[in-house]
Amino acid sequence: MTVTSALTAFALVALLMTLVPGVDTALILRSAMTRGRSDAMVAALGISTGVFIWGIAAAAGASAVLAASHLAYQILTYAGAAYLVFLGGQMIYRSFRKKEVEAIKVEVSRSKWRNFTTGMITNLLNPKIGVFYIATIPQFTPADSNALLMGIALATVHVLLTLVWATVLIIGVKLAGRWLSSARSVTWMDRITGTVLVGFGVKVALSRP
């Protein structure tokens, strides 16, 4: 297996993982609807940063600890689950408060970096991303290549795919801009996103390594 063929094969696997709807998709869509395109891209950059950090950690062997230590895995799992449930519950609670859509936009646009950190922390507190890398990096690392550099290259491919998919989602929101900018749509998007986050948090908490 050459480096090029390894990167191509990994890209197909990472693409499937990226396209599966989940927390990342929900966060990007919500940011695009309630904050705008630039804030949604900041959220996508945060998500990508989390993915990249996991890729480097796996390539360096740090995430092997998660694969070997049941306790470490469980601690990170429960921390991530608690964060997701808190974040989702907060969104659902806010959606039931009586506010005009512009007031909501002002409130959630106070800091773009909040979007960045939310996306990054959501991924960093998901040990399954680390396990994904620790499982795939050996499979897509040619025998004569440097494992660390190859891991960084694979993580870069995953990040690029994530950003491309985020761009597609953001453009889709723009095309449906008038309907999605209504107060009712913003409210329901908060409720749907919050429910996804809470549900995913519960699923993570009940999952087994």
Side-chain angles (χ1 to χ4, degrees):
M1 179 184 290
T2 65
V3 171
T4 301
S5 62
L7 291 175
T8 302
F10 176 79
L12 294 176
V13 175
L15 178 61
L16 293 175
M17 184 177 180
T18 301
L19 293 179
V20 174
V23 175
D24 293 345
T25 299
L27 288 176
I28 292 171
L29 287 175
R30 179 182 182 274
S31 295
M33 285 178 55
T34 61
R35 298 178 175 94
R37 286 176 294 173
S38 61
D39 291 76
M41 282 306 302
V42 169
L45 288 173
I47 291 168
S48 299
T49 300
V51 168
F52 192 68
I53 291 174
W54 267 123
I56 294 177
S63 67
V65 174
L66 293 176
S69 172
H70 177 76
L71 178 61
Y73 185 96
Q74 288 297 85
I75 289 174
L76 193 57
T77 294
Y78 290 135
Y83 177 75
L84 290 174
V85 171
F86 168 77
L87 192 63
Q90 189 178 52
M91 289 181 184
I92 294 172
Y93 170 73
R94 288 179 177 176
S95 73
F96 285 98
R97 295 169 62 184
K98 301 298 182 181
K99 294 182 178 180
E100 296 296 328
V101 64
E102 290 302 321
I104 294 175
K105 289 182 178 181
V106 169
E107 178 181 348
V108 297
S109 298
R110 289 176 181 172
S111 174
K112 288 185 179 181
W113 292 110
R114 184 181 302 171
N115 293 356
F116 180 88
T117 55
T118 297
M120 183 176 67
I121 292 173
T122 297
N123 279 271
L124 289 179
L125 290 179
N126 185 358
K128 290 189 176 181
I129 296 180
V131 173
F132 167 76
Y133 274 113
I134 204 66
T136 56
I137 284 180
Q139 305 300 322
F140 296 98
T141 300
D144 57 346
S145 64
N146 182 286
L148 178 59
L149 294 179
M150 193 64 191
I152 293 174
L154 295 174
T156 300
V157 170
H158 195 177
V159 165
L160 291 175
L161 290 172
T162 299
L163 292 175
V164 170
W165 178 234
T167 301
V168 171
L169 293 174
I170 293 168
I171 291 175
V173 171
K174 180 184 177 182
L175 294 176
R178 177 172 295 183
W179 180 79
L180 292 175
S181 64
S182 68
R184 181 183 295 272
S185 297
V186 171
T187 296
W188 277 105
M189 189 61 193
D190 271 355
R191 293 174 185 173
I192 292 171
T193 304
T195 301
V196 169
L197 293 178
V198 171
F200 189 77
V202 172
K203 180 180 178 182
V204 168
L206 296 177
S207 65
R208 295 290 182 270

